[in-house]
Each structure stands twice: as C-alpha cells, then as structure tokens.
Amino acid sequence: MSQDTNYIPHWHRAWLYILLALLLAFLAAPIFVVIPVSFSNTSTLQFPPESLSLQWYVRLFSSARWQSSAYNSMLAALLTVCCTIPLGIMAAYGLNSIRTGLGKFISATLMLPLIVPLILVAIGIYFLYARLGLINTMVGLVAAHTMYTLPLAITMIAAGLRRFDRNQEMVARSLGANRLKAFMTVTLPQIKFSVMSAGFLTFIASFDEVVIALFISGGSNATLPRQMFNQLRNSIDPTIAAISTLLIALALIVFAAMQFLKSNEA
Amino acid sequence: MNEIAVPPLRRDSGIAPALAKDARRERSLMIGLALPGLFVVAAVLLSPVGWLIWQSLVDGEGHFTLHHYLSLFSEPKRLSYLQNTFLLSAEVTVICSLLAYPLAFALTVLPERLRKFCMFFVVVPLLTSVLVRTYAWLIILGRRGIVNNVLANLGVIDEPLNLVYNYFCTVLGMVHVMMPMIVLPLYAAMKSIDGDLVRAASSLGATPSTAFRDIFFPLTLPGLFAGATLVFVLSLGYYVTPSILGGGKVIVWAIFLEQTVSFNTQWGPAAAAGLLLLGATVAVLVLARTLVGVKANQVEL
Amino acid sequence: MTQSISMRGVRKSYGSVIALDHIDLDIRDGEFFTLLGPSGSGKTTLLMVIAGFIRADGGSLKFGDTEVIRMPPHRRDVGVVFQNYALFPHMDVSENIAYPLKLRHVPAAERRVKVEEALKLVRLDGLGHRRVQELSGGQRQRVALARAVVFAPKVLLMDEPLSALDKNLREQMQVELKRLHQSLKMTTVYVTHDQGEAIAMSDRVAVMDNGRIIQMGKPRDLYETPESRFVAQFIGESNLIPVSVTGSTVIGAGADLKVGGRIDTDSSGQGFLVIRPERIQIVKTHDGSDLNRLSATAQEVIYRGDELTVYAILTDGTEISIRCGVHHRAVEEICKPGERIDIAFHPEDSVIVRPT
C-alpha cells in the first residue's frame, strides 16, 4: 500500500495524519496520565500533581494486603503458564496433523473460551467450584485461568508450527529420530519463539484477569486485579495509580519481549 | 515389460488391515495430544455451562420449567437492561469502526519505522490491564481531573462538571478498551490487499477516490466486519468498564447478571439470565456468519 | 551395506483419488533408479512410502529380505534429500551432518572423523562451522546430501533435489551426484519431473502417470522404444504421425511406410508413428534406398545456436519438426516458408504406439 498510494502528496493526507495522531493519543494518553498521578503527594486525584513524592509506592510496598495479592497473582500467572504452555503445545501439534472431522471439532471446542461471555464463564465456574469446594483456592484459579488462556496459546503456537517447515521433522525421523525425539531436537527449537511469546501472553492475560478472579478468588488467595477492582469501586486513592504504573511496566516488558522474540524468529 | 520377472501379485495377507490399524493408531495419538487441553475446557467451561443450562430449565423440585426465562421479561426494568446492553454494544461498535478505519488505513500508508512506532500505541493498551485503563478515565474526567482543571483554569466553568459515572463515560471507556480489537484485524486485512489492484485501477483511469471506493474499500470489508463482530460480541458481555465508569447508573446485562447471582439464593434465575447472554452472543455470531460471512474462528486475535 | 528394494501391490488412495495403483517394482542393490513423471503422477508419494512418511493402504515393501511396510521411518535406515534441503537452521553444517550419528550414539571422536569424511565427499571440507544460512543453494544441497549418506543408510532417496537450483549449477550437480553414486554404490531412488535429468543420471527409469508405472527400462530403451504416446511425448520430443495398420502394411500421411520397431495399435489398426525430430533428414531427390519418404510443406526455420529446427506440415496436415546441425547451410535455402520439401527417416528409428 505504501507505494501505490504515494502518488498522493503527503500534504493531501495531512488530515489523515492529524487524525492518526489524535487517535493514538486517545489510545495511549490514559496510560501516561496514570504514571504522573502515582508520584503525587496529595491523596486526591489531581493532575498534574502539585509536587512529587513516592508516598504511594511506600504505602503500596508496606501494605500486607497488596503484597499478598500481588504474590497471589504472580503465582497464579506462573502456574497458569506452566499448565497452558505444555497443553497448548500438545494440542497445537496434534491438531496441526489432523485438520478434518474430529480434529476440526476439537479445535473449535478449544476456541470456545474466546466466544462464551467471560461473565457467564465466571458464574458457571463459581457454581461449579462452590460444589467442589474450590472457591478461593489457588488450584481452582489456575484451572480456570488455564482454560481462559489456552485458546490464545494454541493460536500462537499453531501459527509458529505453520511457519515451520515440516520436511525438517520428516528428515529428522528418516535420520533415526522417533517422533518425540524429532520434535524435541528439531521442531521445538525452531518454534521456541512462538512458544515463548505465547508464554508471555498467557502470563499477562492471567495476571490481569479480573472477572473470573472476582468470583472465585478471595480471602488469602485474592488476586491483585480483584483487590484493585474492589478498591476502585469504593475509593480511588493514588495507591491504585502506583499499582497501575507497575502494571503498565509489566505490559511494556511483555511488549518488548514479544517484539524481541518476533524479530528473532524472522 | 521390465527385465525382472514380477511374480504374480500375492494378495496381501492381512497387511492392509494392519496398516489401517497403524493409521488409526497414529490418528488417535494426534487426537490424544489435544485431549488434556480439551479436558480442561470440558471441565472448567463446558460442564459449568451445561450445568447452568440444566439449572435454568428446572424449578426447585427439579421439574422442567420455562419459568426462569419467562420471568426475565416479567419486569420492564429488565427489558431496559437488555436494551441498554444492545444499544451500548451497537454504539461502541459503530464508533470503534468509524475510528478504527482511518487509523488502520493510516498505519498501512506509513513508512515502516513510523508504523512500528505507531503500532506500539495500539498494542501496548491491549496488553495493559483493563482496570488500569478504566482507572485512567477516572483521573482524566474526575471532579478534580484534567478536563475539569483545564476548563476551570480557562475560566469556562466555576463548578467542576460531573463527567464520570455516567453513560457517556461508559461508552468512552468501552471504545477505548475495544479499539485495538478492531484495528488489528482491519489493519491485517488492509495489509493483505494486493497493491497492484489499486494501481491497476488507477492505470485504467480511476481517480484516487474512485479507486478507493470501488477497489480498496470493498476488499477491506471482510476485515471490518470481522473486527466489528468481535467488538460487538465482547461488548455484549462486558462487565468491568460499565460497572466502574457507569457508577451504578448504567445497568447492562452483565451487571444485572452479577447482581442476580449476588442477591439470589437460587441458581435458576441467574442461570437463565446468563444463558440469555450466551444465546444473544451465539445469535450475533450466526447472524454475522450468514449475513456477511464472518466465521467464528476469524473472531479472535 | 545398501540393499535392494522390492514392492508388490503397493497402493495408496486419498478418498476417491488413487495416488498409487498397485505398484510392482524391483530396484537392484546399488542401482540409480529414477521415478519420472509429471506432477500428480504419484512419484513423490511412492518415494514417501519408501521413506515411511506416507503409510500405504496395502502391499508389500521389502529392503533386501526385510518387510518394512509397517516400519516407522526412524527404523528404516533411509537417507532422504528434499527439494528444499530441509537443513536444520538451528545447527551449523557439522551439527547437521552429525545429527544422524548422534542419534545412533556414535562416539564423539568417531563422529568427527565421519563428518569430516562426509564433508570431503561433497567437497565442502573446511565449511563445517558455517551457519546453514550462510551457504549458497548448491552448498546447502551438498550438506543435505552429506547428512543423508553419513550414516551409511540402506537406501538413499532424493525428491527433486536439483529443481531449486539454476540451470548451470543443476547440470554440474548432476555430474557430481552421478560421481557420488559411483563411489558409494548406494541404492538410490531419485524423483524428478525433468526427463533430461532422468536420462542423464539413471541406470533405469520408471515413467509414472496417474499412480501407475507406464514404462520402465534403461534410459536408451525409453527414448528409442517408447511403448505409449505418453512416454513418447514425455521423454524427449516426438513427431506423432497418424497411421493405420493392416497386416504388415502401414499407411500414413498418404504414403506406404516401413516400420522397423515395435508396432502397437488399437483394435481397428489405428496408431501413431513416433519419429524423433533429429532422426528425420531433409532429402533433395527421390533416390532408391529403403528409407521412408514423405512430402511436406516447409513452414519456418528457427535458428537455435546449436541446431536448426525446421517446422513443416505433412500432406495429411500433421505438423512435424525436424532438427539438423547448423552446418547444413543449405537447409535454410531449401526450407523457405511454403516450399515443398522431401523428408526421409530410417524404418528402424520409428515405432508405432496406440492413439491413447
């Protein structure tokens, strides 16, 4: 597209670029508003802050409640990655070889978590866990988040597998490797960037997930988003801004990691 | 015909069934690899939803009834929640489409480096917690937020305006959350259009605007519809943004659902309310598929 | 030790499409055997069945005396070279070649020696530490070859290995592959759609079409005695002249023809006489010899550098081409467009095939 439309002078497009800048500002600005507020010295949401301080970070890091919820979210996200990625690799690999009939049906089923409204999923899980005694447990949360993140992971890993030259796996097998060995020594090393990207995405999706956590994580196993959500509905002090800043940092880290992995895979 | 004498073909004794068995075994192995994932989805998604379906169809004594569904419509207030939900989703979808189209188009005409820079602003919000993005609007539009501050300093207002906790703010927040979901598929669709087509049209005498209208725009429609369907479907069941930015004044179906769960001791009413949402989602997907050919598997990132 | 391959009734279908239709085939130990055919003829499917990547629906496949049809690929001991080389990009050249040795738990020292030998064999000595991405197409091809033979497999399979190379390199690699085969004496099955390549390199060739072997034999026999119209047209260029055969009389293009080669017609005696363009001469006068003679009208002469091609039309309307050396200056004089010319060919140089 860049060539074929270049015959239109750029200044004819000025309106387009101005609109682009405004839209990007709209998309990104809220994020950059949060960061200054987190360094404010007043307890009201004032922008720009009158003077800078680290008091909200100090408060954040001295609060046992915030600390434990951050720890819970971290643990849940890591455990979710550990469950989702192996399951995702297996499913993507198996379904990559079987693309008709039953395989298609299974693929479609595995994508359901993307389509069923999250609030309904959360309520259903809440009912189920209430019966199984899994409410407010780490196991229950990780199982729910594994289900929730699996379609994303499968989609990304399957994309990696499609780019991978299947002849290589065949050659490896003819050279004397069984399927598993061929996968581990030839296929996996070459889709590792897709797998790692899927891992990062799974981590952040689980870490930031609100709705399911709202219903089934509580007590000593409450997650950070749940804690934040409740706080937001009651009072909005800048401690939230401090947490938000850290979450933005996490998003940036994941973005950078995925860009890095993408450039390596090419 | 060849130099080596071929002995008459020995009808393969049992090798064909054995080979068929091997083929089935390999197929089973491949299917088997998907089973653990399938098990998780079945256990944590299908079984609870199935259970909800059953609960929505039986009364306290376990007899079949449509009562829970019918009672959803007994109060006009509930109908208005449903109306709110569809209206909000439709508005968000339309606004997102109108904004995303020029944004995605601009991204395709930008030079590579600048495009990467701009992509950052599209993708990073997608990776940022919805809570953070919602919270940001409270800072911007709050009573002592940026907008009120600027207006007060300019002397336009004496009293801070009430900009948050209303319908407008909810739409704004939702549009912000949903934008990347439509920009990315639309951008992908525009990227994949063969530039030669537009060039060919211009060489045949089409002005830039005719070429755009007759060639480029129709080719981007599938991407636009896919993105719009995704936004609409996600908006229908969206909970977080309306419940924070709506300030209790904007009751969408998801909020009603959450309240039903919290205030009811029985599963039935909540189950029916939830399944209505699922039904609406499926109906939209089916409609999108039949009307404009959007397949469910396109409606994902 | 390499081994012979023998197949009986090997078949494979995908739904209603028959990819392999009861293939019977014997490939001798140490033979360079080529499967030749257009795309979709089943040649690659057959190769993949030998390698074990595609499971046949039935039949028997033996390496020597061992039945391997159900054996998984990693136990078959076959070296495979793919068209796209399929080198492992996350390993360097040496690691690629050492991969099959590692899988066989060859000790590191011995492995190094064997890798060096293999590199020398394909004339890449000293490039062991190159990354795969740094190699040219021809070099990648050699690495793939070294990797496929380093573990002394029972058979070597090659799937259009040269088709991704440009013309000059391709011809050079043909010679090298042939040389390599002569030094290793390894049973080799080679798949190609390029008839020139098949003829130049193979001990024997099987021509495939629609999942069947149409004709099999030495390159010379295939070229000189095609048994069907398909083979006549697929291998080299052929002129096909419609003829009708009654008893020992062959009538074609208004003339009584003598045929020295194989005669095969349909039930009503219809067939095509096959004569190669380079076996036709342009003659000046009707002199008394036992050559077949026909009249034709010259259409065009094309100068090709190494030869001249004359296009002409026989009296029955059949278009034919004739090739002659560029030193025949007179040809261009004689064959002015529209001029009547006389052509002749030796009865021994022609065969008759069925119309279909």
Side-chain angles (χ1 to χ4, degrees):
Chain A
M1 273 311 298
S2 51
Q3 260 97 49
D4 61 70
T5 40
N6 267 353
Y7 62 89
I8 302 175
H10 276 280
W11 58 268
H12 273 176
R13 286 251 178 82
W15 63 271
L16 185 64
Y17 298 136
I18 292 168
L19 192 60
L20 173 69
L22 287 175
L23 287 170
L24 292 179
F26 167 69
L27 281 176
I31 291 167
F32 296 110
V33 163
V34 169
I35 297 170
V37 169
S38 72
F39 295 103
S40 121
N41 66 337
T42 54
S43 63
T44 50
L45 289 184
Q46 199 167 355
F47 188 92
E50 281 164 12
S51 63
L52 300 178
S53 85
L54 285 174
Q55 58 166 313
W56 303 109
Y57 290 91
V58 173
R59 183 179 286 202
L60 180 64
F61 286 111
S62 57
S63 152
R65 209 176 39 142
W66 285 117
Q67 270 183 20
S68 87
S69 63
Y71 170 80
N72 289 336
S73 282
M74 189 71 77
L75 184 64
L78 283 175
L79 290 175
T80 301
V81 171
C82 293
C83 294
T84 297
I85 294 304
L87 293 185
I89 292 174
M90 284 162 63
Y93 184 89
L95 296 173
N96 195 35
S97 336
I98 295 180
R99 294 194 182 150
T100 53
L102 190 56
K104 240 180 181 169
F105 175 75
I106 293 176
S107 300
T109 309
L110 288 171
M111 291 300 134
L112 279 180
L114 291 178
I115 290 168
V116 180
L118 203 52
I119 184 87
L120 178 68
V121 175
I123 290 169
I125 295 174
Y126 174 63
F127 287 174
L128 177 75
Y129 282 9
R131 297 202 140 193
L132 299 176
L134 284 173
I135 301 273
N136 299 353
T137 62
M138 187 52 76
V139 176
L141 184 64
V142 170
H145 278 185
T146 301
M147 177 274 295
Y148 169 66
T149 52
L150 200 53
L152 283 178
I154 291 177
T155 308
M156 290 196 73
I157 296 168
L161 277 174
R162 271 196 301 276
R163 280 192 297 272
F164 168 71
D165 168 23
R166 278 257 152 157
N167 282 352
Q168 287 191 23
E169 200 175 295
M170 290 206 265
V171 160
R173 291 172 64 198
S174 76
L175 294 175
N178 62 29
R179 244 179 208 282
L180 182 63
K181 187 100 186 169
F183 178 79
M184 297 306 274
T185 55
V186 173
T187 312
L188 192 56
Q190 288 182 67
I191 61 165
K192 67 175 181 223
F193 295 118
S194 297
V195 172
M196 284 158 76
S197 288
F200 277 106
L201 208 62
T202 300
F203 182 88
I204 203 161
S206 164
F207 195 91
D208 286 341
E209 196 286 318
V210 196
V211 181
I212 297 174
L214 217 48
F215 280 84
I216 63 158
S217 93
S220 63
N221 274 319
T223 66
L224 191 65
R226 183 198 156 101
Q227 214 58 271
M228 267 178 91
F229 184 84
N230 289 338
Q231 193 78 24
L232 273 176
R233 288 223 289 195
N234 302 327
S235 65
I236 36 173
D237 71 68
T239 317
I240 304 272
I243 299 169
S244 295
T245 304
L246 296 179
L247 288 181
I248 291 170
L250 180 67
L252 291 176
I253 291 169
V254 169
F255 178 80
M258 287 176 68
Q259 284 308 108
F260 176 77
L261 292 172
K262 207 169 137 193
S263 65
N264 263 282
E265 183 152 80
Chain B
M1 89 189 199
N2 44 347
E3 303 133 72
I4 298 174
V6 178
L9 174 67
R10 177 173 49 83
R11 280 290 151 212
D12 23 65
S13 43
I15 205 80
L19 284 167
K21 204 176 97 194
D22 290 350
R24 276 198 305 277
R25 185 178 298 159
E26 177 165 341
R27 205 180 136 83
S28 311
L29 173 70
M30 290 298 132
I31 296 273
L33 285 174
L35 286 185
L38 194 65
F39 172 77
V40 171
V41 172
V44 192
L45 181 75
L46 299 182
S47 79
V49 171
W51 194 76
L52 284 180
I53 293 176
W54 183 64
Q55 284 298 311
S56 74
L57 291 171
V58 296
D59 61 17
E61 273 88 55
H63 300 300
F64 174 80
T65 175
L66 285 175
H67 169 75
H68 298 309
Y69 286 98
L70 296 175
S71 68
L72 282 178
F73 303 105
S74 60
E75 277 184 66
K77 223 167 63 188
R78 292 186 187 162
L79 282 178
S80 79
Y81 299 156
L82 203 57
Q83 199 186 348
N84 280 347
T85 308
F86 271 91
L87 211 60
L88 178 71
S89 302
E91 282 176 29
V92 169
T93 306
V94 169
I95 296 171
C96 276
S97 305
L98 290 177
L99 295 181
Y101 200 91
L103 175 54
F105 180 70
L107 285 175
T108 58
V109 295
L110 285 182
E112 183 69 26
R113 289 181 65 97
L114 204 52
R115 172 163 58 220
K116 277 198 170 145
F117 175 74
C118 292
M119 266 300 178
F120 173 85
F121 294 99
V122 180
V123 177
V124 168
L126 195 62
L127 294 173
T128 306
S129 165
V130 175
L131 291 173
V132 174
R133 292 195 274 163
T134 309
Y135 172 67
W137 291 108
L138 294 177
I139 298 178
I140 295 172
L141 301 174
R143 284 181 72 80
R144 304 188 62 180
I146 303 174
V147 174
N148 273 320
N149 251 355
V150 170
L151 292 179
N153 288 345
L154 290 174
V156 180
I157 51 169
D158 301 326
E159 281 285 294
L161 299 172
N162 283 322
L163 296 171
V164 284
Y165 305 132
N166 56 29
Y167 187 75
F168 162 76
C169 183
T170 307
V171 173
L172 190 67
M174 291 275 286
V175 167
H176 187 251
V177 169
M178 297 295 168
M179 269 286 272
M181 313 268 185
I182 184 167
V183 171
L184 293 178
L186 198 48
Y187 169 74
M190 289 180 180
K191 264 313 253 188
S192 68
I193 290 174
D194 185 358
D196 282 343
L197 287 174
V198 183
R199 259 191 293 276
S202 339
S203 76
L204 295 171
T207 63
S209 57
T210 342
F212 180 87
R213 194 192 63 210
D214 293 345
I215 311 289
F216 186 79
F217 183 68
L219 288 172
T220 57
L221 282 180
L224 182 64
F225 289 141
T229 309
L230 176 67
V231 168
F232 192 82
V233 162
L234 285 177
S235 299
L236 277 183
Y238 218 69
Y239 172 73
V240 176
T241 307
S243 72
I244 294 174
L245 294 180
K249 297 186 201 82
V250 183
I251 310 288
V252 292
W253 201 252
I255 294 177
F256 166 64
L257 194 53
E258 192 265 340
Q259 289 171 351
T260 316
V261 175
S262 312
F263 300 131
N264 260 299
T265 47
Q266 274 192 308
W267 298 130
L275 288 164
L276 186 71
L277 184 62
L278 181 63
T281 305
V282 171
V284 169
L285 286 173
V286 169
L287 214 61
R289 186 182 187 137
T290 44
L291 290 186
V292 286
V294 176
K295 296 201 185 80
N297 59 10
Q298 279 178 275
V299 187
E300 59 193 51
L301 289 172
Chain C
M1 264 315 289
T2 75
Q3 277 179 327
S4 62
I5 302 171
S6 79
M7 277 175 244
R8 292 294 175 275
V10 170
R11 58 185 191 273
K12 176 75 191 173
S13 54
Y14 296 98
S16 61
V17 182
I18 295 171
L20 293 176
D21 189 0
H22 293 88
I23 301 288
D24 296 334
L25 183 60
D26 288 276
I27 297 168
R28 299 189 199 101
D29 181 9
E31 190 173 27
F32 195 115
F33 191 91
T34 297
L35 298 171
L36 173 68
S39 62
S41 59
K43 57 189 192 303
T44 297
T45 307
L46 188 56
L47 194 80
M48 296 292 116
V49 166
I50 300 174
F53 300 140
I54 292 177
R55 198 187 316 271
D57 293 338
S60 155
L61 170 65
K62 284 182 175 173
F63 291 172
D65 293 326
T66 320
E67 177 64 57
V68 297
I69 192 112
R70 288 184 68 193
M71 198 182 270
H74 66 275
R75 300 232 309 272
R76 288 194 187 189
D77 248 351
V78 292
V80 182
V81 178
F82 278 102
Q83 180 181 352
N84 69 350
Y85 323 126
L87 297 180
F88 307 137
H90 59 298
M91 301 180 191
D92 69 15
V93 169
S94 293
E95 287 167 336
N96 261 283
I97 300 174
Y99 184 80
L101 301 175
K102 259 190 195 157
L103 290 170
R104 285 168 176 76
H105 307 292
V106 175
E110 195 185 333
R111 216 155 62 204
R112 259 197 305 280
V113 174
K114 285 198 166 172
V115 168
E116 278 310 310
E117 278 173 9
L119 280 171
K120 207 168 283 172
L121 188 70
V122 296
R123 299 190 189 169
L124 285 179
D125 3 1
L127 296 187
H129 294 292
R130 285 280 177 90
R131 284 163 53 86
V132 167
Q133 292 85 342
E134 297 165 356
L135 302 179
S136 70
Q139 287 173 325
R140 287 181 197 200
Q141 186 57 70
R142 288 160 204 247
V143 176
L145 198 60
R147 185 178 63 178
V149 299
V150 71
F151 61 104
K154 291 193 182 105
V155 294
L156 175 61
L157 308 178
M158 293 193 252
D159 183 16
E160 310 237 7
L162 306 183
S163 62
L165 303 177
D166 64 42
K167 191 168 173 290
N168 286 336
L169 196 53
R170 193 155 64 221
E171 280 168 10
Q172 185 192 334
M173 281 301 290
Q174 283 176 12
V175 177
E176 282 207 36
L177 278 181
K178 190 78 196 155
R179 179 186 58 83
L180 191 74
H181 176 252
Q182 274 156 2
S183 65
L184 292 175
K185 297 263 183 294
M186 194 176 276
T187 310
T188 302
V189 184
Y190 189 97
V191 160
T192 183
H193 65 272
D194 181 336
Q195 45 96 15
E197 203 167 284
I199 287 177
M201 298 174 71
S202 320
D203 293 326
R204 279 192 308 151
V205 178
V207 183
M208 291 189 71
D209 189 35
N210 287 325
R212 275 188 224 142
I213 293 177
I214 305 286
Q215 192 178 349
M216 174 158 57
K218 295 196 176 92
R220 182 179 291 270
D221 296 338
L222 287 177
Y223 188 83
E224 294 184 357
T225 321
E227 290 171 2
S228 62
R229 188 177 171 179
F230 179 83
V231 174
Q233 285 182 313
F234 194 73
I235 298 184
E237 278 177 59
S238 293
N239 292 304
L240 295 177
I241 303 167
V243 292
S244 72
V245 181
T246 21
S248 59
T249 331
V250 179
I251 305 290
D256 194 346
L257 300 170
K258 292 180 285 289
V259 175
R262 190 173 177 277
I263 296 182
D264 187 21
T265 62
D266 65 7
S267 53
S268 62
Q270 300 300 305
F272 280 106
L273 182 139
V274 179
I275 178 76
R276 301 287 182 181
E278 71 277 10
R279 302 283 165 94
I280 304 180
Q281 314 163 18
I282 296 167
V283 289
K284 280 179 188 156
T285 50
H286 282 265
D287 56 354
S289 69
D290 54 356
L291 293 182
N292 283 316
R293 288 170 189 287
L294 291 170
S295 287
T297 310
Q299 296 291 102
E300 203 175 354
V301 182
I302 304 277
Y303 173 76
R304 294 190 193 278
D306 56 345
E307 63 177 34
L308 292 169
T309 308
V310 179
Y311 293 94
I313 295 184
L314 298 180
T315 48
D316 66 345
T318 309
E319 285 185 38
I320 58 161
S321 60
I322 304 151
R323 272 192 230 153
C324 37
V326 278
H327 52 275
H328 291 108
R329 289 284 156 91
V331 167
E332 282 173 281
E333 286 298 308
I334 299 166
C335 300
K336 290 254 162 56
E339 288 289 319
R340 224 190 61 90
I341 55 173
D342 290 312
I343 61 167
F345 56 88
H346 203 277
E348 296 299 326
D349 290 338
S350 57
V351 296
I352 291 174
V353 297
R354 286 164 184 263
T356 49

